[in-house]
Amino acid sequence: MHSSTSTIQEDLDRFYHELDRLRADPRQGSRLQDLSGRSGLPLQGVYFFCEPGEFRTANHSAPRIVRVGTHGISDDSRTRLWGRLSNHLGTRKGSGNHRGSIFRLLVGKALQNREDKEVPTWGLHSSRPEQVKSDPKLLAEELDWERKVSATIGMMNVFWVEVPGEPSKESPRQYLERNAIALLSNQLQPVDTPSAGWLGRHSDHDSICRSGLWNRNHVNDLYTPEFLQEFVAAVDRTLSNS
């Protein structure tokens, strides 16, 4: 629920102020394609993507967050922060696997819609089906779009906060992710609206078009303003360990 002593605008401004503090670390806000497993990212955390050309409504010099994500919220998960980010980025040769990253899946479909193209096997099954593996034309078509997705996501800027904890659906990472998405979406009525040319407006999912986020979960949730205290602590922790 919303706090009676703060407004969503105040909470958003506080959230972005804390995010901006992360710039004290020169790695923060880097393009995803410029990071690697040797960039010294924490093992566990929550990440925030900005997209070229997307800015806050009241401050056109302040980048707008377009996706929030984390990792390791399943009890048996061994995924680490960079592992999840690298899944979104794809390979250094420009390929990738949209079946292993919902972010890639969504971006790829929006790119196809924008270009009035259809890849009938895009998103089909949880792993590449035999019909694609055995058909050079279908395989080449998928790989071509994987490269386009990698180029698009690779140019996005990423911030992160260190959030340790055992993998769990009730982990601190899940708590921060859920509330940050809910704050930014404001139940599909975002204070900071996406630009007219935002790629996400070509998504098949109305919730993405309306929220301005490459997220489908938690966009209808109410946020708990107290989560900002945890976010401040996460920013402090991240800067002290950088």
Side-chain angles (χ1 to χ4, degrees):
M1 63 180 63
H2 294 175
S3 169
S4 60
T5 59
S6 66
T7 67
I8 185 171
Q9 183 69 65
E10 290 170 338
D11 289 341
L12 270 172
D13 289 345
R14 185 181 180 194
F15 173 83
Y16 274 102
H17 171 75
E18 291 302 316
L19 200 71
D20 198 52
R21 285 178 57 212
L22 292 170
R23 293 183 184 276
D25 180 343
R27 297 169 302 172
Q28 295 275 0
S30 296
R31 295 182 304 181
L32 181 58
Q33 66 185 29
D34 295 332
L35 296 173
S36 73
R38 296 185 294 275
S39 296
L41 274 67
L43 293 178
Q44 298 174 307
V46 178
Y47 60 81
F48 308 89
F49 274 98
C50 298
E51 195 167 342
E54 291 301 307
F55 300 95
R56 298 195 64 195
T57 299
N59 183 352
H60 292 291
S61 65
R64 180 179 70 82
I65 297 300
V66 299
R67 180 177 171 85
V68 181
T70 189
H71 63 94
I73 58 175
S74 300
D75 290 341
D76 58 349
S77 176
R78 296 183 179 180
T79 308
R80 295 292 185 253
L81 177 59
W82 172 246
R84 194 68 189 129
L85 289 173
S86 64
N87 286 343
H88 298 326
L89 174 62
T91 69
R92 291 299 173 185
K93 293 183 178 180
S95 187
N97 176 19
H98 73 276
R99 294 180 175 88
S101 163
I102 293 176
F103 191 15
R104 291 184 65 88
L105 173 69
L106 296 170
V107 168
K109 185 59 178 174
L111 284 169
Q112 292 163 33
N113 290 342
R114 188 177 68 180
E115 298 185 25
D116 197 23
K117 302 289 185 181
E118 182 179 5
V119 181
T121 59
W122 192 260
L124 186 64
H125 302 304
S126 58
S127 59
R128 185 174 289 159
E130 285 300 323
Q131 72 182 92
V132 175
K133 294 178 181 178
S134 61
D135 187 326
K137 183 178 179 180
L138 284 177
L139 183 59
E141 187 175 37
E142 277 203 3
L143 291 176
D144 182 48
W145 284 98
E146 294 284 12
R147 284 190 287 271
K148 292 179 180 180
V149 171
S150 292
T152 300
I153 295 180
M155 289 296 292
M156 295 185 189
N157 304 89
V158 62
F159 295 84
W160 61 87
V161 289
E162 181 177 355
V163 187
E166 292 298 317
S168 165
K169 291 182 179 179
E170 303 301 324
S171 73
R173 290 186 296 281
Q174 201 276 344
Y175 174 76
L176 282 182
E177 177 196 42
R178 180 181 72 249
N179 277 281
I181 292 171
L183 170 64
L184 293 164
S185 172
N186 191 34
Q187 295 187 294
L188 304 180
Q189 299 181 68
V191 172
D192 296 316
T193 56
S195 71
W198 182 51
L199 176 61
R201 291 189 182 273
H202 296 275
S203 175
D204 289 339
H205 301 284
D206 181 64
S207 60
I208 290 176
C209 300
R210 292 172 61 191
S211 70
L213 299 171
W214 294 105
N215 289 95
R216 295 185 61 194
N217 295 330
H218 311 305
V219 291
N220 281 298
D221 292 355
L222 287 171
Y223 74 96
T224 303
E226 288 73 23
F227 98 92
L228 288 167
Q229 298 172 12
E230 299 297 325
F231 186 53
V232 171
V235 171
D236 288 341
R237 181 188 309 114
T238 304
L239 292 174
S240 66
N241 292 337
S242 63

